[in-house]
Amino acid sequence: MTATLAPPVRAGKAAVGALGLLALASGALESVVQPTLPLLQRELDMGPTEGALLGILLPITGALVTPLAGRFGDRYGGKRVLVRLMIVVCVGGMVSALAPGLPVLLAGQVLQGAMVGALPLSFIVVRKHLSAGQSKVAIGVVSGLFVGGGMLGTLLAGPVAEQLSRHWMFALPTIAVVVATLLVNGLVPADSADRSDDAGVDWPGLVLLSGVVITLMLVLNLAPDLASQPLLLCGLVVLLAALVAGWIAVERRAASPMIDLRLLARPMVWKSSVLTFTICVGTSMAIFLVTQLWSASGAGYGFGAGATEIGLFLVPSTVVATLAGPLGGTWERRSGSRSVATAGVVIMAVALIAMAVAHSEAWYLVVGKALVALANGLVVTAMTTGVATSVAATETGVATSLILVTRVLGMASGGMLGGVLLAAGTPAGSDVAAESAYTIGFVIAGVVTALALFVTRTMYKGVKA
């Protein structure tokens, strides 16, 4: 297929601004659960494990929807699929806002998970309607605003939930998503389909990937009970291995695979995916552990902070994350992916280990969380921009969906692992995890993050990567 050198219609600043606003609003809606988990646990009578489950349902759905969104965007046009996808997200946001209890709230989170698929669809649009240099800037801005929106939602969710109600913390960002979707529909030019294949949906691959993700979460959830349920845990591990093997076999034979393994095998793509996963595991564990520690009231540790205070503690992280996105994209264009990734991994690993050692003052955690946000913004934005601009325009949706899938899986795994560690470290008859559980959690997150240095040292130096 011959690539078109110049798109027939150029996207103006207003169109890019609409996509950025949609990313900002979607990021805010995605992030409101994590900082308010203590409040939701109290109001809905949830334990740490149930709280972690609530926090990971949305990213799990995102991991399943995003590859399909990227594939459909490449096939039928990014804008067309984007608008329809956001209608589902808006419905999910309203379901969460009106939810009377945990079951309905879980259903709303599942529907909201479709929002993660908006990013590869936005990247498809900008690559079709902007030049190569302009598309790099636009992709960096959209990615950065999504991360910044996440920090904004984290910041405002607590005060809104406490001053109004938990219902409004879902309703307000949902209204913003509705407005942004209308602007995208009106301002963004339509893009034509790049592929005319009629291979259909890779349903076997989708079902097997769903089994992989759900089984992985069960394995993490049952890990603390290894001594009492070893056969069950071993059975789940065997099932997970079988599902992964079956999924790989199906994807290799599929005419139109949900996740193109040949694309994933490219060095730039798989290395970026590994780095994104590890950095997001560290980020998610840090978010969960820090917010729980701020709200905890243990003997000699914890600060008993409410949702509003936690939101104020996260102000520096919000500012840093918003700036880190564009900075990561610019740094990657000038110095290459290796320097950005190495710096981000080192910053995050040091911050996590530092919080394991020193967490007796609230401001220690404020600084540590800000450094984690900086590292996450640098690495994820640089990896996404690098991959999006290193493949053909007709592969933009599929390629970036791989990075986003690893991002949501990393966030899901980190959040669940944090919940499991605190649940395992909670003494019998107590509702507060022991201080050692937080220390161990920060150390594990730091070690997992540092392991990514084995990948960064194999990347090309300079902009060639």
Side-chain angles (χ1 to χ4, degrees):
M1 180 177 292
T2 303
T4 303
L5 296 178
V9 180
R10 299 301 249 185
K13 293 182 179 179
V16 176
L19 292 172
L21 179 61
L22 180 62
L24 184 71
S26 298
L29 181 59
E30 181 196 39
S31 64
V32 297
V33 169
Q34 286 292 348
T36 57
L37 269 178
L39 181 147
L40 292 172
Q41 287 173 317
R42 291 194 299 270
E43 289 195 5
L44 301 177
D45 193 24
M46 295 186 295
T49 302
E50 291 173 309
L53 175 62
L54 177 62
I56 66 169
L57 266 184
L58 186 150
I60 286 177
T61 305
L64 301 176
V65 171
T66 300
L68 288 175
R71 178 69 65 183
F72 287 164
D74 286 333
R75 185 182 299 173
Y76 303 115
K79 177 186 174 180
R80 178 182 178 186
V81 179
L82 175 61
V83 172
R84 286 159 174 75
L85 191 72
M86 296 315 297
I87 293 175
V88 176
V89 174
C90 294
V91 172
M94 294 312 299
V95 169
S96 297
L98 299 174
L102 181 59
V104 178
L105 180 57
L106 293 176
Q109 291 298 288
V110 170
L111 294 175
Q112 282 181 225
M115 75 178 68
V116 184
L119 287 178
L121 296 171
S122 298
F123 301 154
I124 290 172
V125 171
V126 299
R127 287 212 66 189
K128 287 182 179 178
H129 297 291
L130 296 175
S131 65
Q134 291 174 327
S135 65
K136 283 189 175 184
V137 175
I139 290 172
V141 169
V142 171
S143 300
L145 285 174
F146 184 78
V147 176
M151 291 295 100
L152 182 64
T154 300
L155 171 64
L156 298 178
V160 170
E162 288 191 331
Q163 300 302 319
L164 299 176
S165 72
R166 63 177 173 84
H167 304 285
W168 279 104
M169 77 177 186
F170 293 106
L172 292 178
T174 299
I175 294 171
V177 171
V178 172
V179 173
T181 301
L182 293 174
L183 290 175
V184 168
N185 187 55
L187 297 175
V188 175
D191 54 310
S192 60
D194 285 326
R195 300 181 181 184
S196 58
D197 60 272
D198 297 318
V201 179
D202 178 22
W203 293 114
L206 177 62
V207 171
L208 286 171
L209 182 60
S210 302
V212 169
V213 174
I214 293 172
T215 305
L216 175 62
M217 294 302 105
L218 287 175
V219 169
L220 291 175
N221 191 31
L222 293 175
D225 300 323
L226 177 62
S228 59
Q229 304 183 63
L231 292 179
L232 176 58
L233 187 60
C234 290
L236 286 173
V237 171
V238 171
L239 176 61
L240 177 62
L243 288 171
V244 170
W247 175 74
I248 292 174
V250 167
E251 295 301 274
R252 284 179 173 176
R253 293 173 173 81
S256 181
M258 186 175 68
I259 295 180
D260 193 337
L261 298 181
R262 293 171 297 179
L263 188 62
L264 183 59
R266 297 180 189 178
M268 179 63 188
V269 177
W270 76 257
K271 290 177 182 179
S272 297
S273 298
V274 171
L275 288 169
T276 301
F277 179 83
T278 54
I279 210 78
C280 287
V281 168
T283 300
S284 185
M285 289 188 69
I287 292 173
F288 187 84
L289 293 171
V290 166
T291 54
Q292 291 289 329
L293 187 54
W294 273 329
S295 66
S297 299
Y301 65 96
F303 305 95
T308 300
E309 292 176 283
I310 291 175
L312 293 175
F313 288 152
L314 291 169
V315 169
S317 296
T318 303
V319 177
V320 169
T322 303
L323 298 177
L327 176 61
T330 303
W331 189 352
E332 188 274 337
R333 291 194 300 273
R334 293 180 177 178
S335 303
S337 299
R338 177 174 176 171
S339 62
V340 182
T342 301
V345 170
V346 170
I347 290 171
M348 182 172 289
V350 170
L352 290 167
I353 298 300
M355 287 190 286
V357 175
H359 48 257
S360 59
E361 299 289 340
W363 73 268
Y364 293 166
L365 299 178
V366 171
V367 174
K369 178 63 182 68
L371 290 174
V372 168
L374 171 64
N376 178 269
L378 288 175
V379 176
V380 174
T381 302
M383 295 300 100
T384 304
T385 303
V387 168
T389 56
S390 68
V391 300
T394 55
E395 298 176 321
T396 302
V398 177
T400 54
S401 71
L402 294 175
I403 303 300
L404 294 169
V405 166
T406 56
R407 173 187 175 271
V408 296
L409 287 178
M411 296 296 288
S413 299
M416 178 60 80
L417 183 56
V420 166
L421 289 172
L422 292 193
T426 302
S430 174
D431 295 328
V432 181
E435 183 178 9
S436 60
Y438 293 97
T439 301
I440 293 172
F442 285 126
V443 170
I444 291 176
V447 171
V448 170
T449 302
L451 290 175
L453 291 174
F454 289 104
V455 177
T456 61
R457 67 189 300 271
T458 67
M459 301 177 73
Y460 288 111
K461 294 182 179 180
V463 296
K464 182 180 179 181

